[in-house]
Amino acid sequence: MAALYHKIGIVGAMAEEIELLHKHVVKTGSFVKAGIEYTEGTLHGHNVVFCKSGVGKVNAAVCTQVLIDAGADCVLFTGVAGAVAPSLNIGDIVVSTSCLQHDFDVTPLGFARGQIPYQDVWEFQAAPDLVELAASACERLFPGRSLKGKVLSGDQFIASRDAVRGLYEELGGACTEMEGASLAQVCAMNGVPFVVIRSMSDKADGSAHVNFAEFTIQASVNSHAIIDDMLRHL
């Protein structure tokens, strides 16, 4: 049973996904902070505040802090990602068990790849209750098409077989994207539970740009369905 949350923060990476939230959330207000619009309201009886983050780790970090400052006591992030685990196919879903910044690299000074120097934690653990809630929603909606695993983030669009192999073999990633680990770090710094849910748009095999464009609309529909199901069962 998931914990009882007073206000749920929802971050979407895509405009299409946020439009679906606008259609289904009973709105009570909105505000703009740091150039990002936030909408407040209720969904299935739960208080929510949601936004489109924009691309990249800085955008995700800023919007996450604003959501928390606006009262969010848990944060759900959805969007698309490139598959890293060999078992994943386009359309499959990854629910984060943890998040790590793959492009944080201070290895010449003796630190591990992804390690944030002089900090005790650099791989941020998702909240177990939210992970199970998301995984159950995925299994109800897309049986056999999801897995729980590590989400890798970096300000890079990965489209190389060699790079993907390194992310899998060296870091044990399930998928790679551009926002989740920064959102996770901000949540960890504030003691706020989170989970990242990603639909696979490509297998980072060089055709990523084609698959990404084709898959965006369907991924936004799938992501919204998962969030909707999670809140129905929360």
Side-chain angles (χ1 to χ4, degrees):
M1 177 66 68
L4 179 62
Y5 296 107
H6 172 69
K7 183 182 285 188
I8 300 164
I10 306 171
V11 183
M14 298 173 290
E16 293 86 353
E17 188 176 348
I18 295 304
E19 285 306 309
L20 288 169
L21 282 170
H22 276 296
K23 289 179 180 178
H24 292 92
V25 169
V26 179
K27 299 172 199 170
T28 58
S30 66
F31 62 94
V32 175
K33 183 77 171 178
I36 299 172
E37 183 176 9
Y38 301 82
T39 303
E40 297 177 300
T42 61
L43 182 61
H44 302 307
H46 299 285
N47 295 318
V48 299
V49 54
F50 66 91
C51 67
K52 184 183 79 168
S53 63
V55 176
K57 293 190 298 179
V58 172
N59 281 326
V62 169
C63 81
T64 302
Q65 187 62 57
V66 173
L67 287 173
I68 293 169
D69 290 345
D73 52 5
C74 74
V75 180
L76 317 177
F77 187 97
T78 64
V80 297
V84 170
S87 62
L88 287 168
N89 293 303
I90 293 172
D92 289 350
I93 299 153
V94 170
V95 177
S96 69
T97 52
S98 64
C99 297
L100 176 75
Q101 298 178 65
H102 69 76
D103 65 344
F104 210 115
D105 190 347
V106 197
T107 53
L109 297 182
F111 296 94
R113 183 176 176 187
Q115 182 177 359
I116 302 171
Y118 317 118
Q119 191 164 302
D120 292 337
V121 177
W122 55 90
E123 181 174 336
F124 302 100
Q125 304 298 314
D129 62 323
L130 296 178
V131 171
E132 292 307 316
L133 189 67
S136 296
C138 290
E139 195 55 33
R140 281 189 290 268
L141 296 168
F142 311 104
R145 302 287 315 265
S146 64
L147 65 79
K148 293 181 281 188
K150 186 189 299 185
V151 172
L152 302 178
S153 305
D155 286 324
Q156 304 164 354
F157 193 92
I158 304 295
S160 156
R161 287 187 179 92
D162 289 341
V164 166
R165 188 179 305 111
L167 293 176
Y168 181 69
E169 294 177 355
E170 183 181 349
L171 297 176
C175 67
T176 180
E177 38 87 297
M178 300 178 71
E179 294 87 22
S182 57
L183 174 144
Q185 182 173 349
V186 173
C187 285
M189 292 169 74
N190 286 275
V192 170
F194 76 91
V195 69
V196 175
I197 306 153
R198 289 288 192 172
S199 299
M200 301 304 101
S201 61
D202 63 87
K203 298 194 72 164
D205 59 0
S207 62
H209 61 291
V210 176
N211 293 333
F212 184 87
E214 292 173 350
F215 190 68
T216 297
I217 294 176
Q218 186 58 51
S220 65
V221 172
N222 293 352
S223 295
H224 176 78
I226 294 167
I227 293 292
D228 190 79
D229 188 88
M230 289 176 68
L231 267 65
R232 284 181 186 273
H233 289 87
L234 184 62

